[in-house]
Amino acid sequence: MKKMYTVMNPSGIHARPALKIVEAASRHHSDSYLVKDGSRFFAKNLINMISIGAKYGDTIEVVAEGEDSLAAIEAIGAVLTSRH
Amino acid sequence: MQLQGIPASAGLAWGRALHLVSSTRQSESPTIPLVRVSAELKRFDAAVGQAIEAIEAIRASLLEEGRTEEADIMEVQLVLLQDRELVGKARDKILHLHYASHAALEAAMADVLETMRQHSHPQLVERAMDLEDVVHRIGRNLRGEQSVLEGLEGSETLVLLCESLTPSEAVLLNPKVVAGIALIHGSVTSHVAIISRSMGIPTVVGLGPDLQSIADGQMVLLDGTTGTLTVDPAEVLGEAEVLREAEALRETQVPRETQVLGEAGDPMSTAEAGKRQIGRVPQLPRVRGEGGRDTGRQLLSNISSCAEAATALSEGAAGIGLFRTEFLFMGRNDFPSEEEQFATYRKVVSTFDARTPVIIRTMDVGGDKPLASLRLEEEDNPFLGKRGMRISLMRQDLLRTQLRAILRASAYGNIKLLFPMIATLGEWRQAKAIVAEVQAALTDAGIPYNQSIDIGIMIEVPSAALLADRLAQEADFLSIGTNDLIQYTMAASRNSPSLRKLHDPLQPAVLRLIHQVIRSAHSHGKPVSLCGEMASEMAALPLLLGMGLDTFSVSNEALASVGWQLSLLSERWDSAQLRLAAEAVLDLDEASDVRQYVQQHFPELQQVQVLP
């Protein structure tokens, strides 16, 4: 399962939002990934998340597989579309 | 109880004993007993908490200065510390696997790095450095490297008892609180001894394992001049004698003007002690040869800081024979910037007039001077590992920064450049080529520097001593570092008290090597200086004079006594006699034979107590 989101935080996915994504992903059993420019980043790993380097307005695909994949994707999507 | 050790820094110290658990000792066992698990978790959490606080403070001050980009980097480190992956995994390992904190941390970091490898992206590489940085910060907090020493304060003076002390720990000592240092291991020439001398803290090394039996809080009297440590001195010496000792202590409590670190309250500065022993030398006499003619021989000073440069000047040194720059790099978590280094070098060279030589040695870390900020892995045998020039050639970024700072400062006086731990011609040529590149960059930028700066080679590896003729051909001068040259030649650690007989500057093999170096350099018309502690070994002075050594460089504390001896020797004996003596000892069997020979032929030297 996958969904597209646009980064709404004016400073992009910097350290704090990255931590929030990891927390959101880790609350779910499914493994989730963020795909940007064809590269996959493991959402449960902080260093991966920090390394995405996504800016405001970038489009990101969130992919998850497993029972609670939809919940996982939406939890991550909420962080991506949050303004801060 | 009274223990006998080796005097390493003169003076009396009177205070309560305090054992300092060395940071290197704690990290031995990777696991802990079950009963300690909850305490270990607390210790770990405290170390993480400390790291968070420290990083937050750095971040706040960066934000205040408007350095938002750097503040963001610190923010990354902050979230790394809050991440379940690193800290959580480390806690799990302590809780379930009974790992010690440091082992848990290392294992957790390895796990995280492994995950990074599985999901590899080029961006991750720089993140790995952030990760290492926070892990090292926690590790330092766990070892208490800084807090233990920085936290030492109180109304009472303390005598620190420890197995050994790393130089980065030693530079953090507060001489207002630490009256004396007593070490189980160590030797007179170890860097700790050098640092404690420069800080004026009386120190005795090589006291042996009996030191462990002294309880914290017991009153001890440490005599850094004779090398004794007396526990509860009232019992052993009798009250009258303690009072007399204490009286002597009070008399010598004179505030020092020239040293930054020591203020009134230290028992006795080593400079004072040195002067007292030789009956106060008012002014340093010139070194003179036969007929009172100036031999051209110089007596310079070894220093590690601006404060010591000022002392060297007031003590009458003819310049600086060795400025140990590594002390700029120690006791901190980052590297000094070019500007910071430039300011220091400029200040040191500006202490003297424009013709006075100031020999600056590039960073000589490694060996017994590990550098936290370099994050080098531990080596089985650090003295035979990455140190000195070897590190500088691996970390050319650091070398270039330092060279730029030194070269810029060379516009302000007579700076000479010295490279440590050169072992091959290739290393020397590489170093010299880098100097040329830095010089070219300065020229392009229109920054002034001394274009004909003298560049010298430290002779401390036996291979360099054996290649002295080749090296002297290309270098402007050679400088013999005997502390290392002796330990490498004799294969006897300078930190091993039981090997003192081998680690002896009067060993015939050492004398032959030094003789050969001086002869080789002179055959190419290049001067030789000697900046190890051998230059303040009284029995060695007539021999070094006889070999034709051009420059003696000693600590500020030894300047007066060595200067006095050198002028005495030069007045009483002509150069032919001294040369004969120097050549005669080369054929003797043992160091003890050399010592006996010197005693017989130069009896006047005996009147003076040798200061370490």
Side-chain angles (χ1 to χ4, degrees), chain A residues 14-16 18-19 22-23 26 33 39-42 44-48 50-53, chain B residues 56 59 72 75-76 78-80 82-85 112 115-116 119 121 123-124 127-128 131:
Chain A
H14 58 85
R16 294 278 166 196
L19 184 65
V22 174
E23 285 167 357
S26 303
Y33 297 87
S39 291
R40 264 158 70 99
F41 296 85
F42 186 44
K44 289 184 178 177
N45 180 280
L46 179 66
I47 291 162
N48 269 263
I50 290 171
S51 308
I52 289 184
Chain B
E56 246 157 15
R59 183 169 166 270
D72 282 347
E75 172 109 27
V76 169
L78 271 181
V79 300
L80 281 173
Q82 292 158 27
D83 184 29
R84 207 181 46 92
E85 196 122 7
V112 175
T115 319
M116 284 171 59
H119 306 267
H121 297 286
Q123 296 98 311
L124 298 190
R127 293 285 99 86
L131 185 70

Side-chain angles (χ1 to χ4, degrees), chain B residues 62-353:
Chain B
L62 287 171
L63 281 176
E64 221 165 82
E65 293 166 36
R67 293 153 70 180
T68 49
E69 211 170 311
E70 288 149 286
D72 282 347
I73 294 169
M74 299 320 287
E75 172 109 27
V76 169
Q77 297 202 357
L78 271 181
V79 300
L80 281 173
L81 283 172
Q82 292 158 27
D83 184 29
R84 207 181 46 92
E85 196 122 7
L86 179 68
V87 173
K89 269 189 183 158
R91 289 188 97 253
D92 284 349
K93 286 178 201 293
I94 298 171
L95 192 60
H96 303 301
L97 301 176
H98 305 166
Y99 273 35
S101 296
H102 65 91
L105 196 60
E106 292 288 321
M109 179 165 86
D111 284 355
V112 175
L113 290 173
E114 181 54 34
T115 319
M116 284 171 59
R117 259 192 295 278
Q118 285 168 5
H119 306 267
S120 73
H121 297 286
Q123 296 98 311
L124 298 190
V125 177
E126 49 190 296
R127 293 285 99 86
M129 288 178 66
D130 282 317
L131 185 70
E132 276 176 24
D133 201 15
V134 292
V135 165
H136 279 99
R137 185 183 289 276
I138 301 172
R140 282 195 300 274
N141 291 343
L142 282 170
R143 290 194 298 271
E145 251 172 27
Q146 312 208 348
S147 57
V148 173
L149 295 167
E150 282 173 345
L152 287 181
E153 40 187 77
S155 50
E156 278 188 300
T157 54
L158 300 171
V159 173
L160 288 186
L161 314 180
C162 36
E163 202 156 317
S164 58
L165 206 60
T166 70
S168 65
E169 288 169 330
V171 295
L172 293 168
L173 292 175
N174 178 357
K176 278 190 216 168
V177 181
V178 179
I181 302 170
L183 300 181
I184 294 178
H185 304 301
S187 76
V188 176
T189 52
S190 67
H191 288 107
V192 175
I194 294 171
I195 295 168
S196 62
R197 274 200 289 282
S198 71
M199 290 173 114
I201 301 177
T203 301
V204 176
V205 299
L207 282 158
D210 286 347
L211 201 63
Q212 305 277 28
S213 65
I214 300 169
D216 278 349
Q218 276 187 294
M219 289 305 292
V220 294
L221 182 69
L222 183 81
D223 190 332
T225 312
T226 61
T228 54
L229 176 81
T230 315
V231 185
D232 288 330
E235 282 172 28
V236 183
L237 296 174
E239 207 179 328
E241 216 170 328
V242 176
L243 284 177
R244 208 148 40 81
E245 296 262 59
E247 191 70 28
L249 197 63
R250 254 196 307 278
E251 276 174 25
T252 52
Q253 278 184 347
V254 245
R256 267 171 288 155
E257 296 153 354
T258 44
Q259 277 180 308
V260 167
L261 288 162
E263 295 185 14
D266 314 17
M268 189 202 290
S269 87
T270 43
E272 282 300 318
K275 278 184 200 155
R276 247 176 25 145
Q277 266 172 316
I278 55 167
R280 295 210 174 268
V281 176
Q283 241 192 338
L284 186 67
R286 295 283 302 164
V287 180
R288 286 178 191 285
E290 54 269 50
R293 201 163 38 79
D294 210 315
T295 55
R297 279 173 179 150
Q298 285 180 309
L299 181 57
L300 310 183
S301 174
N302 298 336
I303 61 162
S304 317
S305 66
C306 295
E308 286 177 36
T311 310
L313 181 70
S314 63
E315 292 283 320
I320 301 303
L322 177 67
F323 178 20
R324 300 185 181 90
T325 57
E326 52 275 12
F327 291 99
L328 282 172
F329 293 76
M330 298 168 85
R332 58 193 289 166
N333 300 326
D334 56 353
F335 296 108
S337 67
E338 180 185 325
E339 288 309 317
E340 183 183 343
Q341 292 189 54
F342 168 63
T344 304
Y345 304 148
R346 180 180 163 178
K347 194 168 172 202
V348 167
V349 73
S350 306
T351 306
F352 302 93
D353 66 47

Side-chain angles (χ1 to χ4, degrees), chain B residues 361-367 369 381-393 418-424 427-428 456-464 471 479 481 483-485 487-488 494:
Chain B
R361 182 177 72 184
T362 59
M363 180 179 84
D364 184 17
V365 295
K369 291 175 286 189
N381 198 339
F383 278 111
L384 300 183
K386 292 195 274 287
R387 55 170 302 202
M389 211 53 210
R390 298 168 183 181
I391 290 177
S392 294
L393 290 175
L418 181 62
F419 289 119
M421 281 297 288
I422 295 280
T424 67
E427 284 172 349
W428 153 250
I457 298 172
M458 194 96 185
I459 304 293
E460 49 195 337
V461 183
S463 64
L471 291 168
S479 178
N483 300 355
D484 279 321
L485 184 62
Q487 78 167 350
Y488 292 140
R494 65 194 203 201

Side-chain angles (χ1 to χ4, degrees), chain B residues 377-578:
Chain B
E377 69 263 36
E378 273 184 35
E379 290 178 280
D380 286 347
N381 198 339
F383 278 111
L384 300 183
K386 292 195 274 287
R387 55 170 302 202
M389 211 53 210
R390 298 168 183 181
I391 290 177
S392 294
L393 290 175
M394 277 184 280
R395 287 295 306 266
Q396 291 190 14
D397 53 329
L398 298 178
L399 177 64
R400 282 170 200 272
T401 303
Q402 180 166 34
L403 288 176
R404 264 182 81 93
I406 295 173
L407 287 169
R408 282 173 59 195
S410 73
Y412 299 86
N414 184 14
I415 286 181
K416 296 169 192 278
L417 189 56
L418 181 62
F419 289 119
M421 281 297 288
I422 295 280
T424 67
L425 277 159
E427 284 172 349
W428 153 250
R429 287 174 185 156
Q430 200 184 347
K432 217 180 157 192
I434 294 171
V435 174
E437 284 171 35
V438 175
Q439 285 177 323
L442 287 173
T443 307
D444 289 346
I447 299 170
Y449 65 94
N450 174 11
Q451 296 186 358
S452 53
I453 188 169
D454 278 348
I455 310 176
I457 298 172
M458 194 96 185
I459 304 293
E460 49 195 337
V461 183
S463 64
L466 293 167
L467 292 169
D469 56 330
R470 304 289 309 280
L471 291 168
Q473 220 169 349
E474 301 180 15
D476 296 308
F477 65 97
L478 300 184
S479 178
I480 305 174
T482 47
N483 300 355
D484 279 321
L485 184 62
I486 296 170
Q487 78 167 350
Y488 292 140
T489 303
M490 301 305 299
S493 165
R494 65 194 203 201
N495 292 326
S496 176
S498 55
L499 298 181
R500 271 177 90 193
K501 279 189 179 161
L502 284 175
H503 194 286
D504 185 333
L506 298 186
Q507 280 289 351
V510 173
L511 293 170
R512 282 180 175 218
L513 209 48
I514 290 171
H515 183 243
Q516 190 188 325
V517 169
I518 296 174
R519 220 177 28 190
S520 303
H522 285 178
S523 71
H524 292 284
K526 305 291 170 63
V528 183
S529 68
L530 191 145
C531 59
E533 307 248 332
M534 181 180 184
S536 39
E537 164 89 34
M538 296 306 158
L541 295 181
L543 308 177
L544 294 172
L545 278 173
M547 290 178 194
L549 183 72
D550 302 283
T551 304
F552 296 74
S553 192
V554 302
S555 67
N556 282 336
E557 291 73 29
L559 274 174
S561 52
V562 172
W564 193 79
Q565 290 293 345
L566 287 178
S567 81
L568 176 97
L569 285 165
S570 311
E571 263 163 34
R572 300 262 170 100
W573 287 276
D574 62 38
S575 56
Q577 286 172 309
L578 290 166

